Amino acid sequence: MILHQFLDFELLRVVWWLLLGVLLTGFALTDGFDLGVGTLLPFVGRTDVERRIAINTIGPVWEGNQVWFILGGGAIFAAWPPLYAVSFSGFYLAMFAVLAALILRPVGFKYRSKRDSALWRSAWDWALFVGGAVPALIFGVAMGNVLQGAPFRFNEDLMIFYDGTFFGLLNPFALLAGLVSIAMLTMHGAAWLQLKSEGPVQARARKIGSGAALVTIFAYLLAGVWMATGISGYAISGTVVTDGPSNPLLGEVMRTPSWFAAYSERPWIAVAPVLGVTGAVLAFFGLRAGREVSTLLYSKLAITGIISSVGLTMFPFILPSSVDPKSSLTVWNSSSSHQTLFVMLVMAVIFVPLILAYTTWVYKVLWGKVTEADINADSGTVY
């Protein structure tokens, strides 16, 4: 018997849907506070030393945190090829904007202190702001468009046609989702700075982070109400084939009044938005009270709940089509082959624990605050 047949094709598809969610959530939990600190940088630091303190809280870890982003992109490419093809071609300009912003981050880290010039360093500080705020915004805008459905379709030969434009992605609901994303990651960055810094940087991070937590709560609740009343959902009509070939055109999909029908079918998924709101509320009070470790954990809880609420609400859809619902991509019709998913799972079981172990060790070694004395002495700092 071939080894991959020990696990059902249906089970492997669900496992890789879960793993994709884990990888994307892992990226938001780790690199998310890097993006948040970049967004906060011009506002929490009023002097060069204060800004160097903020930068050095993330300087030693940001590259390792981006591993989750790379893993997420690799998982989409290998486990869900049609999803990769549609998203990386249809959303090309948005992806280019994200990559351009992310490229500014390492360049900014390396170059800002090369010249002892206030104008030079200020310019790179704003470049680091762009490198944090732009990806945070676009990731949320992308999520808002996924919930509404993307304007793509397949012809009978499974060729992809994308009928949308870059500015079409910037619709009101998607921009609201972008606001949720940037506020959420700003809150997360503030929780990180509260843990890793002290003095004026910490105080300003707490103040701005508290406001970001409130924006996260109210914008997320508003998005939920909008989804319930003004955003159409999608549902598979007819027989659901969970272990069939990966061909989106073999099934039938219909529009529904709202995504919220999922909560009547699977009431247990309501735990995700509850955790999202609860985590943000606790993070708000934690930032106000100055609690450090617990606030970062509450922020992580909020991110996990908010991101998972999208995936659980949409299941089994991964990327619906707004122009041709039949072309919508689901867990059941857009995966790689049975054997490919099995081989990838074996590799994931081997390497993901190693990544987790290494990451845990790095954070243990780098535990502690970055202080003004560290910056002035150039002790343990690199930027």
Side-chain angles (χ1 to χ4, degrees), residues 97-117:
V98 168
L99 291 176
L102 290 177
I103 288 171
L104 286 175
R105 184 162 56 173
V107 178
F109 286 153
K110 297 299 183 183
Y111 278 88
R112 84 170 295 278
S113 294
K114 296 296 184 182
R115 292 180 60 187
D116 189 13
S117 164

Side-chain angles (χ1 to χ4, degrees), residues 1 88 213 239 320 381:
M1 179 180 292
F88 280 74
T239 304
T381 62

Side-chain angles (χ1 to χ4, degrees), residues 46 190 201-213 284 287-288:
R46 296 179 181 173
V201 173
Q202 185 191 60
R204 295 184 195 114
R206 288 174 54 192
K207 182 178 180 180
I208 299 172
S210 299
F284 167 77
L287 285 163
R288 298 283 292 180

Side-chain angles (χ1 to χ4, degrees), residues 271-283:
V271 68
V274 170
L275 288 178
V277 174
T278 302
V281 170
L282 292 174

Side-chain angles (χ1 to χ4, degrees), residues 195-271:
L195 175 67
K196 294 288 290 182
S197 66
E198 58 186 22
V201 173
Q202 185 191 60
R204 295 184 195 114
R206 288 174 54 192
K207 182 178 180 180
I208 299 172
S210 299
L214 289 178
V215 173
T216 300
I217 296 165
F218 289 110
Y220 180 60
L221 291 175
L222 177 60
V225 172
W226 195 338
M227 277 185 59
T229 59
I231 302 297
S232 297
Y234 295 79
I236 299 175
S237 58
T239 304
V240 179
V241 180
T242 59
D243 58 354
S246 293
N247 185 339
L249 300 182
L250 292 181
E252 293 292 336
V253 173
M254 62 180 182
R255 301 291 290 265
T256 62
S258 168
W259 281 112
F260 274 62
Y263 289 87
S264 60
E265 299 170 359
R266 307 185 300 275
W268 60 271
I269 67 175
V271 68

Side-chain angles (χ1 to χ4, degrees), residues 17 143 147 266 306-317:
W17 172 79
M143 196 66 70
L147 284 165
R266 307 185 300 275
I306 290 172
I307 293 178
S308 61
S309 68
V310 176
L312 291 171
T313 299
M314 292 180 59
F315 183 85
F317 289 89

Side-chain angles (χ1 to χ4, degrees), residues 25-366:
T25 303
F27 167 68
L29 294 180
T30 55
D31 204 45
F33 63 71
D34 298 334
L35 299 177
V37 171
T39 304
L40 288 166
L41 181 61
F43 311 106
V44 298
R46 296 179 181 173
T47 67
D48 182 63
V49 170
E50 290 175 354
R51 292 187 178 184
R52 287 188 69 192
I53 289 173
I55 290 171
N56 278 278
T57 65
I58 60 174
V61 298
W62 72 269
E63 289 178 294
N65 292 340
Q66 276 202 166
V67 167
W68 297 99
F69 183 55
I70 297 169
L71 287 175
I76 293 174
F77 172 77
W80 312 99
L83 175 62
Y84 180 88
V86 172
S87 59
F88 280 74
S89 58
F91 300 157
Y92 180 80
L93 290 178
M95 295 287 184
F96 181 84
V98 168
L99 291 176
L102 290 177
I103 288 171
L104 286 175
R105 184 162 56 173
V107 178
F109 286 153
K110 297 299 183 183
Y111 278 88
R112 84 170 295 278
S113 294
K114 296 296 184 182
R115 292 180 60 187
D116 189 13
S117 164
L119 181 61
W120 172 270
R121 294 186 177 188
S122 177
W124 284 115
D125 290 338
W126 283 104
L128 291 172
F129 166 80
V130 171
V134 169
L137 176 65
I138 291 180
F139 288 143
V141 168
M143 196 66 70
N145 280 283
V146 168
L147 284 165
Q148 296 176 93
F152 73 94
R153 55 190 170 84
F154 292 98
N155 68 5
E156 59 184 12
D157 296 319
L158 293 183
M159 291 180 60
I160 301 170
F161 294 88
Y162 185 80
D163 298 331
T165 64
F166 174 76
F167 292 104
L169 299 175
L170 304 179
N171 56 78
F173 179 78
L175 290 174
L176 176 61
L179 176 62
V180 173
S181 176
I182 196 170
M184 176 179 72
L185 296 184
T186 300
M187 172 189 71
H188 199 40
W192 177 255
L193 285 175
Q194 178 175 252
L195 175 67
K196 294 288 290 182
S197 66
E198 58 186 22
V201 173
Q202 185 191 60
R204 295 184 195 114
R206 288 174 54 192
K207 182 178 180 180
I208 299 172
S210 299
L214 289 178
V215 173
T216 300
I217 296 165
F218 289 110
Y220 180 60
L221 291 175
L222 177 60
V225 172
W226 195 338
M227 277 185 59
T229 59
I231 302 297
S232 297
Y234 295 79
I236 299 175
S237 58
T239 304
V240 179
V241 180
T242 59
D243 58 354
S246 293
N247 185 339
L249 300 182
L250 292 181
E252 293 292 336
V253 173
M254 62 180 182
R255 301 291 290 265
T256 62
S258 168
W259 281 112
F260 274 62
Y263 289 87
S264 60
E265 299 170 359
R266 307 185 300 275
W268 60 271
I269 67 175
V271 68
V274 170
L275 288 178
V277 174
T278 302
V281 170
L282 292 174
F284 167 77
F285 286 111
L287 285 163
R288 298 283 292 180
R291 293 188 292 269
E292 296 180 353
V293 176
S294 61
T295 300
L296 185 63
L297 295 177
Y298 294 145
S299 179
K300 290 179 181 290
L301 179 66
I303 291 172
T304 302
I306 290 172
I307 293 178
S308 61
S309 68
V310 176
L312 291 171
T313 299
M314 292 180 59
F315 183 85
F317 289 89
I318 301 177
L319 184 61
S321 170
S322 59
V323 296
D324 179 22
K326 186 176 181 179
S327 297
S328 298
L329 303 179
T330 73
V331 173
W332 315 127
N333 69 14
S334 57
S335 74
S336 292
S337 68
H338 191 172
Q339 186 172 0
T340 299
L341 294 182
F342 178 79
V343 173
M344 288 176 57
L345 180 61
V346 173
M347 302 303 292
V349 168
I350 295 172
F351 288 105
V352 170
L354 292 176
I355 294 171
L356 289 172
Y358 172 76
T359 302
T360 302
W361 176 79
V362 167
Y363 280 103
K364 181 180 179 180
V365 170
L366 297 173

